[in-house]
Amino acid sequence: MFDSLSDRLGGVFERLRGRGALGEADVRTAMREVRIALLEADVALPVARDFVEKVTEQAVGQNVLRSVTPGQQVVKIVHDALVDMLGSDTAELEIAVTPPAVIMLVGLQGSGKTTTTAKLAKLLKKDGKKVMMASLDVNRPAAQEQLAVLGTQTEVATLPIVAGQTPVEIAKRAMSAAKLQGFDVLMLDTAGRLHVDQALMDEMKAVSDIANPAETLLVVDSLTGQDAVNVASNFSEQVPLTGVILTRMDGDARGGAALSMRAVTGKPIKFAGMGEKLDQIEPFHPKRVAGRILG
Ligand code: GDP
């Protein structure tokens, strides 16, 4: 991931570092190249513009250019700005509430919600948590069965399926089952949607009112780039998201969604899906990602 961005930035930095003295014009030329590299990586235009403005201001505004190693300092400013853009620290799941802590996953159909529900459940189970999963997806045939199969594979409990219930009814049943049976965490996999659609948004809000989730995580496909960012900003206007999970990062060569998500939604990326297998999920570490981009 980020290979091409990394190469492009590497070239810009090499030219900067290679010079003893730097003038404002050199910085501005370099930042124009950084801007193009970000846009080619599919970073949202306003995000790229803000990034370059901020870095330029810091680089020419202070005593950076008169320092002994101006190139190196400019590279450091870019690095710090990149970490800032990605979110300053690893965002943990906030589930220290009276159990069951509810984690609700929302997102478009096919974004990887059900798979991610099982991946997270598996991680939490490994952490010693007693986890239950429930699918509220009554729209897609076999969605509830798909989660039951994943439950068997991961040895995580799933709420027994009762045909004909509405998502709100399932959520109520899941809450009382999780309370009664002493589960620490209840994961709610909500109905997928093809696009941001009002009826489904209302349904999601109704579920959220009942379940009062500790975490409401938006699952988005990183391969969809700018669309992923638009979807995220739409969702975040409708539901109080606590974080984002980017799936298919394993296939995302450009990384634009990852780079723009934080700035556009104001929400941290908490995890990255790195493959179809149920252990292919990683906490999102902004510093590590920034380090990988800058080589
Ligand atoms: P949902 O409709 O949002 O519940 O999506 P699913 O969980 O059914 O996932 C749709 C497809 O994406 C499945 O084939 C998953 O195996 C695949 N998938 C999910 N997450 C990842 C990921 O991080 N990487 C890759 N390569 N595939 C993924």
Side-chain angles (χ1 to χ4, degrees):
M1 213 199 340
F2 299 122
D3 283 354
S4 138
L5 177 61
S6 197
D7 284 352
R8 293 287 299 263
L9 292 180
V12 178
F13 294 160
E14 213 172 281
R15 284 191 287 283
L16 278 175
R17 279 205 196 93
R19 319 216 357 195
L22 279 185
E24 195 173 318
D26 299 315
V27 173
R28 292 199 187 278
T29 307
M31 289 310 133
R32 250 197 305 277
E33 290 173 45
V34 168
R35 184 166 181 263
I36 293 167
L38 290 174
L39 293 178
E40 280 181 0
D42 205 22
V43 171
L45 179 61
V47 178
R49 203 170 17 201
D50 284 354
F51 180 88
V52 164
E53 257 173 38
K54 189 169 130 193
V55 171
T56 308
E57 197 179 302
Q58 284 186 38
V60 300
Q62 298 158 16
N63 288 330
V64 172
L65 298 182
R66 283 193 294 275
S67 74
V68 187
T69 51
Q72 226 143 311
Q73 303 232 23
V74 174
V75 173
K76 168 140 195 337
I77 292 171
V78 175
H79 175 273
D80 293 350
L82 209 50
V83 174
D84 230 34
M85 181 178 177
L86 289 161
S88 44
D89 234 324
T90 309
E92 310 264 336
L93 288 177
E94 311 263 354
I95 51 168
V97 296
T98 313
V102 176
I103 302 179
M104 181 163 100
L105 279 83
V106 301
L108 296 186
Q109 198 171 307
S111 60
K113 244 180 310 87
T114 306
T115 313
T116 305
T117 303
K119 284 177 172 180
L120 280 184
K122 196 167 180 233
L123 267 188
L124 289 164
K125 187 185 157 210
K126 219 163 89 188
D127 244 23
K129 298 273 189 284
K130 198 176 164 201
V131 187
M132 178 187 257
M133 306 190 283
S135 167
L136 309 186
D137 188 351
V138 296
N139 292 6
R140 186 161 60 94
Q144 297 188 63
E145 285 80 2
Q146 185 192 345
L147 192 66
V149 170
L150 294 176
T152 308
Q153 276 175 29
T154 50
E155 296 179 352
V156 169
T158 48
L159 184 76
I161 299 171
V162 173
Q165 285 199 316
T166 64
V168 168
E169 285 165 346
I170 302 174
K172 281 186 184 157
R173 190 159 56 86
M175 289 294 289
S176 61
K179 261 184 214 155
L180 223 66
Q181 296 168 42
F183 282 93
D184 301 314
V185 181
L186 169 64
M187 311 219 36
L188 298 179
D189 180 15
T190 61
R193 45 216 80 209
L194 288 174
H195 46 82
V196 179
D197 148 315
Q198 200 49 48
L200 281 164
M201 285 287 175
D202 291 344
E203 173 191 302
M204 201 167 51
K205 277 187 234 170
V207 169
S208 183
D209 284 347
I210 285 163
N212 187 25
E215 288 276 4
T216 302
L217 301 170
L218 175 70
V219 179
V220 281
D221 178 353
S222 67
L223 291 182
T224 57
Q226 298 279 315
D227 271 348
V229 178
N230 292 336
V231 165
S233 83
N234 274 326
F235 266 86
S236 64
E237 280 163 20
Q238 303 266 352
V239 270
L241 298 178
T242 55
V244 175
I245 299 185
L246 280 177
T247 60
R248 299 207 181 83
M249 289 278 275
D250 49 302
D252 180 15
R254 300 205 287 172
L259 289 162
S260 322
M261 197 57 78
R262 178 74 195 230
V264 171
T265 65
K267 303 296 173 212
I269 301 171
K270 296 207 168 186
F271 288 90
M274 298 300 292
E276 295 201 26
K277 295 209 188 86
L278 294 176
D279 52 4
Q280 290 177 317
I281 186 159
E282 293 175 5
F284 188 80
H285 294 287
K287 278 189 190 139
R288 252 184 248 169
V289 175
R292 205 182 301 165
I293 293 171
L294 299 180

